[in-house]
Amino acid sequence: MEYRIEQDSMGKVQVPADKYWGAQTQRSIRNFPIGVGLETMPSEIIHAFGYLKKAAAMANHSLRPEKMTEEKCSAICQACDEVISGELAEHFPLVVWQTGSGTQSNMNANEVIANRGNELAEKQLLHPNDDVNMSQSSNDTFPTAMHIAAVCAIEDKVIPAIEVLTAAFARLEQENKGIVKAGRTHL
C-alpha cells in the first residue's frame, strides 16, 4: 500500500495515498480499533454531514464572502454533493465506538471534503478546519448531523411506508366492503 504523510498539531502520520481522509481520521482509526469494517458510522450520518457542511459553507459565504470565497464555497459544495450521494463512502472508515462528542466523525468529514474539494479545484484551496469547519464545533455538528439523518429517514422511509400501509388498508376496506365480519368476542 502506498502512503502520503499528513501533519496536524500532534505531528506527522502516514495515511493511505488513495483516501481523502487526513491525520485526525487516521489517528482515530488507530485509537479505536474495535468494530473496524463491521460497525462503521451509519451512512445516514455521513450523508447528513454532507448536508450540514454544504449548508455551513453557503451560510459562511453569505455572511463572510471575503473569507468563504465563491471558489471555496463551490469546491466545498461539490465535494459535499458527492458525500450526500454516497460516492465517497469508502473515505469514511470510522467506527461508532469513538468519543461521545463525535469529534472524529466531524473531522473525518472536514478532511474528506477539503481533500476532495482541493482535487476538484486542482489546487490547495481548502483547509479542513479553517474552511470546511468554519464557525462550527463538534459538540454542535454531530448532534445536528443526527437530527438531519433522523429527518431524512422520516421523510425518505417512514412517511412513504405509512403511505403504503394506508393505501393497503384503504384497498382492503374496499375489497371487504359489505362482508359481515365476526369480531374476536363472537368466536
Side-chain angles (χ1 to χ4, degrees):
M1 180 180 285
E2 292 186 34
Y3 293 91
R4 69 180 189 280
I5 301 298
E6 288 275 336
Q7 187 166 341
D8 62 9
S9 61
M10 295 178 64
K12 296 178 181 179
V13 63
Q14 283 188 328
V15 176
D18 64 338
K19 301 302 181 202
Y20 289 128
W21 69 72
Q24 292 193 36
T25 300
Q26 192 64 41
R27 290 184 201 290
S28 182
I29 291 169
R30 286 199 316 232
N31 292 338
F32 300 97
I34 184 171
V36 174
L38 301 172
E39 299 169 310
T40 54
M41 193 57 58
S43 61
E44 294 85 356
I45 298 291
I46 294 166
H47 299 167
F49 266 111
Y51 287 115
L52 171 61
K53 298 296 179 176
K54 183 176 181 176
M58 293 167 69
N60 283 320
H61 175 62
S62 176
L63 296 170
R64 298 277 316 272
E66 71 284 357
K67 179 121 172 79
M68 178 59 70
T69 65
E70 178 63 38
E71 184 181 27
K72 287 181 178 184
C73 185
S74 178
I76 291 171
C77 288
Q78 286 178 350
C80 287
D81 286 341
E82 292 181 13
V83 170
I84 293 163
S85 74
E87 290 175 57
L88 301 180
E90 71 180 90
H91 302 278
F92 291 87
L94 299 184
V95 295
V96 296
W97 309 108
Q98 54 179 285
T99 62
S101 68
T103 299
Q104 288 85 2
S105 291
N106 183 50
M107 282 309 302
N108 185 193
N110 294 334
E111 291 170 343
V112 169
I113 292 164
N115 285 327
R116 178 60 180 140
N118 287 336
E119 187 176 77
L120 291 166
E122 299 180 344
K123 63 182 177 179
Q124 285 299 116
L125 177 67
L126 303 172
H127 185 276
N129 280 327
D130 297 341
D131 298 310
V132 181
N133 200 54
M134 183 192 296
S135 306
Q136 301 166 55
S137 163
S138 295
N139 291 329
D140 299 324
T141 58
F142 195 79
T144 300
M146 289 192 308
H147 285 100
I148 292 168
V151 168
C152 289
I154 290 168
E155 289 180 349
D156 297 342
K157 296 178 182 175
V158 176
I159 291 174
I162 290 171
E163 289 170 350
V164 168
L165 180 64
T166 302
F169 283 150
R171 179 185 50 79
L172 289 169
E173 181 182 25
Q174 287 302 314
E175 288 175 7
N176 294 290
K177 194 173 192 174
I179 297 175
V180 176
K181 296 162 244 1
R184 67 177 176 84
T185 56
H186 296 141
L187 297 176

